[in-house]
Structures are given as C-alpha cells and as structure tokens.
Amino acid sequence: MGFPSNRLRRLRRTPVLRRLVRETALSVDDLVLPLFVREGATERRAILSMPDCFQLSVDELLREAERAFAAGIPAVILFGIPDRKDPRGSGAYEATGIVQRAVRALRKELPELVVIGDVCLCEYTDHGHCGVVVERRDGTKDVDNDATLELLAKTAVSLADAGADVVAPSAMMDGQVRAIRAALDAARRADTAIMAYSAKYASAFYGPFRDAAESPPRFGDRRSYQMDPANAREALREIALDLDEGADIVMVKPALAYLDVVRLARERFDVPIAAYNVSGEYAMLKAAAANGWLDERQAMLEVLTSIKRAGADLILTYHALDAAAALRERR
Ligand code: PBG
C-alpha cells in the first residue's frame, strides 16, 4: 500500500456510505410487469413452472394491475390465452379478443397505467408458430414473412384501438416494425408507441412462458425467425433496422444470458432500451429459492441490478411486484 493508499474498502464501511457511492440505482420506475389473461370470471389459474404467476380472468387482471400500479410499477405488458386457436391466429386481432377486452377494462379502471400489448400470433395459432405457416414445394413447412406482416399490423391496430399505449411486436418477422408503424399511422394512431423485441433470441429460457401462454410450436422450432444465441453483432443490425423502421423502444431478450448484448446496444444507441428477464430466468431463481439454495430476495435484486447496470432502462420481469416491495423496504 503506497501513499496515497489505494484502499477501496473505506467507502464500503457503512450502509449509508455505500448508498452514497452506489453507481446503479434500481428503481420501481424501471419495471414492467407481464400478465397473462384468459377467458372466464374470477379465476387465478396457477402456472406450475412459474410460481406466483397466474393466468388471470379479466376481473382478476384488474386486481393485479391495481396492485402493481399502487406499488409504483408504471407499466404492464399483456399476453392472451384465447379459447379458440386457428391457423391464422385470428384471436390476436379480433376487436373482441381476450387482450383487447383486457386493455379496454384496464384503460377504464386505471387510466394512468401504461398498457403494453404484445403483438405476436403464437398464442393464437393452432400450430403455435408466430406467423402464417406455408408448405414449400419440397414439402417442408415454413413461416411466411410477408403474409404475417399484415396480420401483425392488424393486431397492433386493434390493440391501439382498444387503448394500448404501446404495442410490442415479438414475432421476429423482417419488416414488422415498418408494417405496424404504417398501419398505426393510417389508423390515426400516431401516438401509439412501438417497443420492438428487436434482438429476440431462439432461447431455451422461454420454456415456462410457453406453458403459461399455452403456445409451444406443434412442430419444428423458432430458429428460422428468432436469433442465433451465438450472435451479438447481428443484434445491433436488428436494432438499427427496427429504429430505422420506426421503433421507439428496442428490446433485448432474454436478459441474463445476453447482458453483453444489452451493453453493446446501450453504447451504440441513444434510445430507451428494454431487457426481458424471461420466464426461464425467473423459474430458475424460484426453483433454487424453493429448495433453500439461495436467498430469493437478494438474488432477485442482484439479477435486476445487473440488468440495469448493463444498460437497460426498462426491465420486463415477473418479479416486478416483489421487487417493488423489496425496493420500498430497502431504504
Ligand atoms: C411471443 C413471446 C414469447 C415470450 C414473449 N413473447 C415466447 C416465444 O417466443 O416463444 C417469452 C417470454 C418469457 O419467456 O418470459 N412470441
């Protein structure tokens, strides 16, 4: 130790000193709570692989959203579980679709809450893919990019018409942001923002979500449209394209296995960046905590802080309610 001594521990001595020099402040303002809505009344159906998350009927969804908003959480993102599925996912864009009805109810009861509608077809198609499936001449099946764009645009407009503040395309079709922006503008919805799932990877960590949303692909996988987990530079191309097409917020998903991508995006782009702490990341932590293998609250705050530290402005997380409570108590 020379002089002046290079001691770093003196600023770690007390909790208040540590608070004073803390670089990253996780805030309830950063959090978005994902919610699953299904048909029926007064029902909270447990999701086995996602402890403390539920498929909610519209009335129960209102309760949960009220709780979130009262806890300071500014936004929710909605996923629907329709009663009927068909090849073209019509439940995604019907005016009376389950999410459209949920959005209307939220708009009425909680006018200030930011309501985000996920725009994808996989929860609504009987084959479970995110777009229209076509058969190629050689007999193989494929998701048709351009045929899907029109349906995604219809979905976005119907959610905006229902009152969504933000639409969030997650189908990973090329040109989806442009198609949606054009359709919203044509429908006089210029004020509806787009949060693009720009860098969405073909990830094993979506497993529990597919249970929750009842949306696993019936054949094949999503690797011909979602990104290869090995690619980071390509994520920056995806983000640049989405911004060029009119995205207002861009997203990296999942978050934890892709913190380097969040960081690269933060350094390159001066727009709000979202990161999705996905279902598998949530389930891992919950399972370990249930076994007493780690401290749930500490681990949760550490994970969420790491996502913020990497450069995310918004964090979509199933821990949002617990995190809000923990942040309230921590100070
Ligand atoms: C819809 C969609 C998925 C998720 C969000 N939107 C599933 C998928 O692409 O298979 C995953 C969210 C999570 O795992 O928490 N396309």
Side-chain angles (χ1 to χ4, degrees), residues 34 36 50 77 79 118-123 128-130 168-172 197 200-201 203-210 213 215-217 222 225-226 251 253-254 276-282 316 318:
F36 300 100
M50 299 177 71
I77 181 163
F79 298 97
D118 186 80
V119 177
C120 195
L121 301 184
C122 63
E123 298 123 67
H129 278 285
C130 302
S170 68
M172 286 300 280
Y197 288 68
K200 178 174 176 181
Y201 288 88
S203 171
F205 290 99
Y206 306 151
F209 175 96
R210 292 176 189 173
S215 65
R222 303 210 205 286
Y225 41 105
Q226 298 182 347
M251 193 198 296
K253 176 187 171 190
Y276 201 140
N277 181 213
V278 299
S279 58
E281 299 173 331
Y282 174 83
L316 288 76
Y318 304 97

Side-chain angles (χ1 to χ4, degrees), residues 144-271:
D144 189 287
N145 194 87
D146 295 1
T148 303
L149 294 181
E150 190 192 327
L151 302 184
L152 294 173
K154 269 168 80 168
T155 303
V157 170
S158 75
L159 293 170
D161 286 346
D165 301 286
V166 182
V167 292
S170 68
M172 286 300 280
M173 295 299 124
D174 288 324
Q176 62 182 9
V177 172
R178 173 164 305 168
I180 288 171
R181 186 71 270 158
L184 288 171
D185 291 351
R188 298 179 180 274
R189 297 287 174 197
D191 285 341
T192 307
I194 299 177
M195 176 168 76
Y197 288 68
S198 302
K200 178 174 176 181
Y201 288 88
S203 171
F205 290 99
Y206 306 151
F209 175 96
R210 292 176 189 173
D211 288 348
E214 301 175 5
S215 65
R218 293 295 135 86
F219 62 89
D221 55 41
R222 303 210 205 286
R223 285 180 219 192
S224 75
Y225 41 105
Q226 298 182 347
M227 280 185 61
D228 183 335
N231 295 355
R233 292 190 298 264
E234 188 189 355
L236 299 179
R237 288 190 66 202
E238 285 280 7
I239 293 170
L241 274 172
D242 280 356
L243 289 172
D244 190 52
E245 292 182 21
D248 301 285
I249 301 171
V250 294
M251 193 198 296
V252 175
K253 176 187 171 190
L256 278 191
Y258 301 88
L259 290 181
D260 58 324
V261 179
V262 174
R263 164 58 52 180
L264 285 170
R266 171 74 298 147
E267 282 168 3
R268 180 86 57 100
F269 302 103
D270 288 322
V271 297

Side-chain angles (χ1 to χ4, degrees), residues 22-201:
R22 187 160 292 144
E23 297 176 27
T24 304
L26 182 67
S27 159
V28 69
D29 297 336
D30 308 327
L31 304 177
V32 179
L33 175 67
L35 293 172
F36 300 100
V37 61
R38 69 171 304 135
E39 303 287 344
T42 328
E43 195 183 6
R44 299 166 68 82
R45 212 179 273 196
I47 301 163
L48 212 62
S49 51
M50 299 177 71
D52 305 325
C53 290
F54 302 87
Q55 296 179 343
L56 303 164
S57 53
V58 173
D59 52 342
E60 286 294 324
L61 177 90
L62 286 175
R63 299 289 92 68
E64 195 79 354
E66 257 162 32
R67 207 168 296 142
F69 194 60
I73 296 167
V76 298
I77 181 163
L78 302 184
F79 298 97
I81 300 129
D83 269 352
R84 288 176 300 98
K85 304 195 187 214
D86 60 38
R88 291 173 66 81
S90 56
Y93 40 87
E94 275 164 2
T96 55
I98 181 65
V99 173
Q100 284 79 1
R101 278 187 283 130
V103 170
R104 271 190 213 100
L106 284 170
R107 194 66 311 146
K108 190 152 158 257
E109 300 257 324
L110 294 165
E112 289 174 305
L113 176 72
V114 175
V115 177
I116 308 175
D118 186 80
V119 177
C120 195
L121 301 184
C122 63
E123 298 123 67
Y124 307 91
T125 51
D126 50 12
H127 45 69
H129 278 285
C130 302
V132 178
V133 172
V134 290
E135 199 165 315
R136 299 287 176 221
R137 258 187 282 275
D138 63 1
T140 57
K141 290 180 177 177
D142 192 14
V143 174
D144 189 287
N145 194 87
D146 295 1
T148 303
L149 294 181
E150 190 192 327
L151 302 184
L152 294 173
K154 269 168 80 168
T155 303
V157 170
S158 75
L159 293 170
D161 286 346
D165 301 286
V166 182
V167 292
S170 68
M172 286 300 280
M173 295 299 124
D174 288 324
Q176 62 182 9
V177 172
R178 173 164 305 168
I180 288 171
R181 186 71 270 158
L184 288 171
D185 291 351
R188 298 179 180 274
R189 297 287 174 197
D191 285 341
T192 307
I194 299 177
M195 176 168 76
Y197 288 68
S198 302
K200 178 174 176 181
Y201 288 88

Side-chain angles (χ1 to χ4, degrees), residues 280-296:
E281 299 173 331
Y282 174 83
M284 278 197 301
L285 200 153
K286 282 282 183 188
N291 276 296
W293 294 341
L294 46 76
D295 180 300
E296 182 170 349

